[in-house]
């Protein structure tokens, strides 16, 4: 174009200072190469760090209390196990979404476009077209937009934790499955517990203003109304900034000591810390499963939440050997795995061998390792169990997918993308074995075929508290 002939043409130039500009954050990952014959890639999305309250594209601190670093270990362990059982030789790739839909959008954009180049172990780079299934995410607010993106690519998504009722929509999310129930079932279970306890008045429903919390609050309000349970008010907790003192003021105004909580464990810990600082105690919560049985909450705030009721998804693990694997897991073995090394430093409060950026006062003794009690808790952790079951469901189903859709050609084949409904059906119909019996991973709605374990926080001695199972809900 001849710019001299255009009267309105002006030369553009970059501003010298951009106040709103942000540098692109690094995208750490962990990759397992399945072998020379491996093509199929299972992608895992996990929240290893907390959300960054300044910019949602970056991350906050490592979230050691949720054990998601160990969930990643379970992910890679189960991929290796199912590869051996099926002789499919899956490769695996894991990213950290930091509970942020913005961050996961950035990660997927960089990876799927080929801008993020990850060595595949054979002198080339990973081909995003070889992703056969996505395991993730945990937070519903991340899973919903992520699933929408993978739906357009014809790739099934299996979440191990996202329970939002939005994901029950099979029109917009036709290739989505999850190993956990929908919040529709969870909210009903919570109201049934309140009815069993003969609660007629609840001071308020505390909820985090993300997809998980907001949808859960709406369900609780509706079911409470139909059950003649009066709810004083809905009290909003900000997801990305700490408004705990405002929340506490609203709680006090209800003149009640009984509340429901539907939100993330990260925001709960911030609230409980402020409650302790404000000397606001003697509160009983009926809480959703994201609280679950986090031990760090009891260690730090057991005196505040004693008597509260939480729940966790039922756990039936079809994967054996993870306990033995944990016994051998050491930072010197995982010397290139920064996620695990940082977790180890925080969990044992010491510097792992070979660490130059020492953040703790002492180095780890040579005999540092997980105790039998630690291992017992980890193998029953609901996130760990559901991730491993999800991976085993995928691996088991892909044997049939390969035989039916990739006859005479290498797997994964183009025929899979044009028959995604068949792939999803194979995954949905998988049955896994545990203790000599079999169970279906998914129900007819493609939600987890599990119920809830009801837990009550009780005092064991002067300064110790525990979660005691007091019931089941199916």
């Amino acid at each position: 174009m001849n710019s001299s002939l255009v009267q309105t043409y002006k030369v553009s130039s970059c501003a010298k200072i951009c106040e709103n500009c942000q540098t692109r954050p690094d995208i750490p990952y962990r990759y397992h190469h399945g072998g020379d014959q491996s093509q199929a890639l299972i992608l895992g999305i996990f929240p290893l760090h907390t959300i960054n309250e300044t910019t949602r594209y970056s991350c906050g601190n490592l979230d050691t209390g949720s054990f998601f670093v160990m969930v990643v270990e379970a992910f890679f362990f189960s991929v290796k196990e199912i590869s051996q059982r099926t002789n499919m030789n899956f490769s695996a790739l894991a990213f950290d979404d930091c509970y942020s839909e913005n961050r996961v959008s950035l990660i997927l954009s960089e990876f799927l476009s080929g801008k993020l180049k990850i060595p595949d172990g054979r002198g080339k780079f990973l081909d995003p077209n070889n992703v056969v299934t996505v395991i993730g995410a945990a937070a519903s607010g991340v899973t919903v937009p992520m699933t929408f993106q993978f739906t357009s690519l014809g790739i099934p998504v299996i979440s191990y934790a996202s329970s939002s009722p939005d994901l029950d929509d099979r029109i917009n999310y036709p290739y989505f499955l999850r190993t956990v129930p929908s919040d529709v079932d969870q909210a009903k279970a919570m109201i049934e517990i309140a009815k069993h306890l003969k609660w007629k008045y609840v001071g308020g429903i505390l909820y985090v203003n993300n997809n998980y919390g907001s949808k859960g609050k709406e369900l609780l309000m509706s079911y409470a109304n139909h059950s003649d349970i009066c709810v004083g008010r809905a009290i909003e907790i900000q997801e990305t900034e700490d408004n705990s003192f405002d929340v506490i003021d609203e709680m006090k105004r209800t003149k009640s000591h009984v509340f429901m909580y539907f939100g993330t464990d990260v925001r709960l810990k911030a609230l409980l810390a402020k409650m302790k600082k404000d000397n606001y105690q003697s509160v009983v919560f009926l809480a959703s499963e994201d609280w679950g049985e986090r031990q760090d909450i009891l260690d730090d705030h057991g005196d505040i939440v004693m008597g509260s009721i939480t729940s966790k998804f039922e756990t039936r693990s079809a994967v054996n050997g993870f306990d033995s694997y944990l016994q051998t897991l050491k930072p010197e073995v995982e010397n290139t795995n920064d996620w695990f090394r940082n977790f180890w430093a925080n969990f044992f409060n010491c510097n792992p061998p070979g660490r130059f950026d020492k953040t703790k006062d002492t180095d780890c003794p040579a005999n540092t390792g997980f105790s039998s009690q630690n291992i017992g808790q980890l193998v029953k952790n609901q996130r760990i169990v559901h991730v491993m079951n999800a991976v085993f469901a995928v691996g088991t189903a892909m044997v049939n997918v390969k035989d039916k859709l990739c006859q005479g050609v290498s797997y994964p084949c183009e025929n899979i993308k044009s028959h995604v409904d068949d792939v999803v059906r194979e995954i949905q119909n998988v049955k896994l074995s545990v203790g000599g019996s079999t169970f279906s991973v998914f129900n007819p709605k493609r939600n987890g075929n599990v119920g809830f374990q009801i837990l009550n926080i009780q005092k064991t001695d002067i300064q110790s508290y525990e979660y005691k199972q007091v019931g089941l809900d199916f």
Side-chain angles (χ1 to χ4, degrees):
M1 181 179 72
N2 188 343
S3 59
S4 64
L5 300 178
V6 182
Q7 296 294 319
T8 59
Y9 177 81
K10 292 183 179 180
V11 177
S12 63
S13 61
C14 293
K16 293 183 179 179
I17 299 177
C18 177
E19 296 179 354
N20 295 321
C21 291
Q22 299 176 3
T23 57
R24 187 181 67 186
D26 292 333
I27 301 179
Y29 62 86
R30 184 177 168 195
Y31 172 65
H32 161 70
H33 175 45
D36 291 339
Q37 303 302 316
S38 175
Q39 294 287 340
L41 178 66
I42 300 177
L43 176 62
I45 306 294
F46 307 94
L48 303 177
H49 292 77
T50 60
I51 192 169
N52 189 304
E53 296 185 6
T54 303
T55 166
R56 294 192 177 189
Y57 290 99
S58 298
C59 300
N61 297 321
L62 185 71
D63 184 11
T64 55
S66 292
F67 292 104
F68 271 110
V69 169
M70 302 310 297
V71 175
V72 172
E73 292 297 330
F75 169 69
F76 283 102
F77 173 81
S78 53
V79 169
K80 295 173 187 177
E81 285 293 304
I82 197 62
S83 294
Q84 291 180 356
R85 292 194 188 188
T86 61
N87 200 31
M88 293 285 284
N89 297 323
F90 296 101
S91 294
L93 174 67
F95 289 119
D96 178 8
D97 64 42
C98 305
Y99 293 96
S100 170
E101 62 179 285
N102 301 78
R103 180 171 176 81
V104 81
S105 295
L106 170 68
I107 291 171
L108 296 180
S109 174
E110 295 288 298
F111 175 62
L112 296 175
S113 67
K115 291 181 180 179
L116 177 61
K117 297 188 179 298
I118 299 175
D120 67 354
R122 294 176 296 183
K124 298 181 180 179
F125 297 104
L126 288 182
D127 183 353
N129 292 314
N130 287 336
V131 174
V132 293
T133 311
V134 179
I135 306 295
S140 295
V142 174
T143 302
V144 169
M146 183 189 79
T147 300
F148 191 80
Q149 184 170 0
F150 280 113
T151 296
S152 65
L153 299 174
I155 299 175
V157 173
I158 306 177
S159 176
Y160 49 84
S162 297
S163 50
S164 170
D166 285 351
L167 293 163
D168 287 324
D169 181 353
R170 293 292 168 251
I171 302 299
N172 289 313
Y173 310 106
Y175 312 138
F176 176 78
L177 307 94
R178 52 184 161 197
T179 60
V180 298
S182 166
D183 282 339
V184 171
D185 300 318
Q186 181 171 193
K188 287 179 180 178
M190 291 175 69
I191 294 300
E192 286 300 316
I193 293 171
K195 289 167 62 179
H196 179 78
L197 296 172
K198 295 181 170 54
W199 289 359
K200 293 295 183 181
Y201 174 71
V202 176
I205 297 174
L206 281 64
Y207 71 99
V208 177
N209 64 343
N210 56 15
N211 183 285
Y212 174 69
S214 298
K215 298 294 182 179
K217 177 261 299 182
E218 293 173 5
L219 290 167
L220 285 176
M221 295 287 281
S222 174
Y223 295 146
N225 182 55
H226 286 90
S227 300
D228 295 323
I229 297 175
C230 180
V231 177
R233 63 184 69 190
I235 303 175
E236 181 179 278
I237 300 174
Q238 297 294 322
E239 181 184 25
T240 57
E241 58 185 58
D242 191 355
N243 67 327
S244 295
F245 283 125
D246 293 334
V247 172
I248 292 171
D249 287 342
E250 287 203 60
M251 292 172 67
K252 289 179 176 179
R253 282 196 286 270
T254 67
K255 306 297 183 182
S256 174
H257 294 286
V258 177
F259 297 89
M260 292 184 178
Y261 179 81
F262 216 107
T264 57
D265 50 13
V266 174
R267 278 291 157 241
L268 173 68
K269 289 182 66 177
L271 174 65
L272 294 177
K274 296 299 191 301
M275 287 174 62
K276 179 172 286 189
K277 186 175 182 180
D278 194 56
N279 199 29
Y280 180 45
Q281 301 186 25
S282 302
V283 172
V284 172
F285 290 102
L286 173 56
S288 61
E289 59 74 34
D290 204 67
W291 178 334
E293 54 181 353
R294 283 192 59 155
Q295 186 59 40
D296 58 332
I297 291 177
L298 298 193
D299 293 341
D300 297 336
H301 310 292
D303 54 334
I304 296 178
V305 299
M306 185 177 66
S308 294
I309 298 171
T310 73
S311 64
K312 59 177 275 190
F313 298 130
E314 183 191 15
T315 52
R316 292 178 294 185
S317 177
V319 185
N320 297 317
F322 189 57
D323 51 351
S324 300
Y325 170 76
L326 290 174
Q327 292 175 349
T328 64
L329 201 57
K330 302 282 185 178
E332 54 266 36
V333 177
E334 299 286 335
N335 60 353
T336 60
N337 183 354
D338 287 339
W339 291 337
F340 178 73
R341 291 173 64 80
N342 289 335
F343 171 84
W344 187 276
N346 283 281
F347 188 83
F348 293 107
N349 196 30
C350 58
N351 298 304
R355 182 164 188 156
F356 297 103
D357 56 331
K358 297 187 177 184
T359 58
K360 306 299 179 181
D361 295 333
T362 59
D363 293 339
C364 296
N367 63 347
T368 302
F370 295 116
S371 67
S372 57
Q373 182 180 6
N374 295 150
I375 293 173
Q377 292 173 343
L378 287 170
V379 296
K380 293 187 296 183
N381 179 285
Q382 61 176 344
R383 307 300 185 218
I384 287 176
V385 171
H386 283 281
V387 160
M388 292 197 293
N389 285 348
V391 170
F392 263 52
V394 170
T396 303
M398 289 303 168
V399 174
N400 291 335
V401 169
K402 178 183 178 182
D403 292 341
K404 293 178 180 179
L405 300 179
C406 300
Q407 296 180 3
V409 296
S410 62
Y411 171 84
C413 59
E414 286 296 323
N415 207 24
I416 290 177
K417 294 293 178 69
S418 58
H419 292 82
V420 191
D421 289 325
D422 294 333
V423 175
V424 171
R425 194 175 300 111
E426 289 290 344
I427 297 173
Q428 182 181 353
N429 292 334
V430 163
K431 291 185 177 182
L432 300 179
S433 299
V434 57
S437 61
T438 60
F439 68 95
S440 297
V441 182
F442 308 99
N443 65 21
K445 295 181 179 180
R446 298 182 196 161
N447 292 328
N449 186 35
V450 294
F452 300 92
Q453 296 177 7
I454 312 303
L455 309 171
N456 178 227
I457 298 174
Q458 300 182 4
K459 197 169 188 176
T460 56
D461 54 43
I462 296 176
Q463 293 182 321
S464 299
Y465 303 85
E466 68 175 0
Y467 296 98
K468 185 173 182 179
Q469 183 174 329
V470 293
L472 288 171
D473 188 277
F474 291 91

